[in-house]
Amino acid sequence: AQKITQTQPGMFVQEKEAVTLDCTYDTSDPSYGLFWYKQPSSGEMIFLIYQGSYDQQNATEGRYSLNFQKARKSANLVISASQLGDSAMYFCAMREVPSSGSARQLTFGSGTQLTVLP
Amino acid sequence: DSGVTQTPKHLITATGQRVTLRCSPRSGDLSVYWYQQSLDQGLQFLIQYYNGEERAKGNILERFSAQQFPDLHSELNLSSLELGDSALYFCASSPGRTNTEAFFGQGTRLTVV
């Protein structure tokens, strides 16, 4: 079963507007982390933001915020004031932390290609 | 700069050959993860090492192997290469004791011809 689902293969947003990229996840572990990465056309994977399952507040990093709705198992990325340089592929990922042992590997969604229009 | 270094950045080789990809994790990070990114398969987890020991295995082919050395750098060995092995190979590292960080290297783009 898919653990991370990104339902938007492609999104368009006007420059300076805000955009929300959707991500839903599935886990039975009470402890887990949610990550968002940006992959521009050059290929590197850039870490954007992290949200822990026990964090009470939504994570924010500059123009990025994570809209964490635990009951719905969703972790949407919100980018405010979009810039042309935000055009890239965006990946949502989850890492489960079992009660015994170390954190597991990151499991990725299929990604959303964001295009910012001038 | 993520602090994770991968070499080489690009590699072109022929079918049947063997290559070694190298990864130096961020200073202090004990966990190293290898991922393969291809157009049809997306980002696939291959293998994880923690402080020199194999910790988890994903969709890693038997032709592929990896190790983590005492200085914590890691190598991914790909042998009997096939055209379908052409992909972007990423290494990521994290401290291992915390769950909040995972930084990726710039990747090695492997092309098998």
Side-chain angles (χ1 to χ4, degrees):
Chain A
Q2 280 279 13
K3 288 202 166 187
I4 296 283
T5 303
Q6 295 181 253
T7 57
Q8 307 152 315
M11 287 279 286
F12 291 88
V13 65
Q14 210 68 40
E15 196 178 5
K16 299 178 186 173
E17 297 288 312
V19 63
T20 298
L21 306 184
D22 294 341
C23 173
T24 58
Y25 60 92
D26 184 30
T27 181
S28 55
D29 284 325
S31 179
Y32 52 90
L34 297 156
F35 299 74
W36 277 92
Y37 289 87
K38 171 184 177 182
Q39 187 177 38
S41 57
S42 52
E44 69 264 38
M45 292 286 285
I46 302 167
F47 168 73
L48 295 178
I49 197 166
Y50 166 84
Q51 178 84 43
S53 59
Y54 293 118
D55 293 343
Q56 295 296 315
Q57 296 201 330
N58 287 343
T60 59
E61 288 286 348
R63 293 186 299 110
Y64 304 108
S65 60
L66 201 152
N67 184 1
F68 181 46
Q69 297 188 47
K70 197 170 182 177
R72 294 185 178 184
K73 292 190 175 178
S74 76
N76 299 337
L77 177 70
V78 180
I79 305 174
S80 62
S82 296
Q83 302 172 357
L84 296 177
D86 294 335
S87 293
M89 181 73 87
Y90 288 80
F91 290 96
C92 179
M94 178 177 65
R95 171 192 270 167
E96 294 158 318
V97 186
S99 54
S100 61
S102 61
R104 297 201 181 115
Q105 71 277 7
L106 289 166
T107 301
F108 285 86
S110 54
T112 296
Q113 180 68 48
L114 177 67
T115 303
V116 180
L117 303 171
Chain B
D1 183 5
S2 67
V4 181
T5 304
Q6 286 189 250
T7 56
K9 285 191 171 45
H10 301 276
L11 199 47
I12 302 175
T13 191
T15 54
Q17 295 298 304
R18 172 190 166 95
V19 297
T20 297
L21 313 183
R22 183 187 168 103
C23 169
S24 293
R26 290 192 318 157
S27 177
D29 283 359
L30 300 178
S31 269
V32 169
Y33 306 81
W34 286 97
Y35 287 84
Q36 178 194 56
Q37 185 180 31
S38 57
L39 283 173
D40 55 344
Q41 298 275 1
L43 270 156
Q44 297 286 314
F45 167 67
L46 296 178
I47 197 164
Q48 176 198 358
Y49 280 84
Y50 177 79
N51 204 19
E53 293 190 2
E54 182 184 303
R55 186 56 63 96
K57 253 184 178 178
N59 300 321
I60 188 166
L61 299 171
E62 284 191 12
R63 299 183 286 109
F64 295 180
S65 65
Q67 54 184 330
Q68 186 179 29
F69 294 86
D71 67 352
L72 300 177
H73 91 271
S74 178
E75 292 181 357
L76 179 66
N77 300 297
L78 315 176
S79 61
S80 303
L81 285 166
E82 301 174 359
L83 296 178
D85 297 327
S86 295
L88 191 49
Y89 290 85
F90 284 107
C91 164
S93 78
S94 67
R97 289 180 299 280
T98 65
N99 188 34
T100 61
E101 298 174 320
F103 290 92
F104 281 72
Q106 290 198 313
T108 293
R109 188 170 296 278
L110 174 66
T111 303
V112 183
V113 297

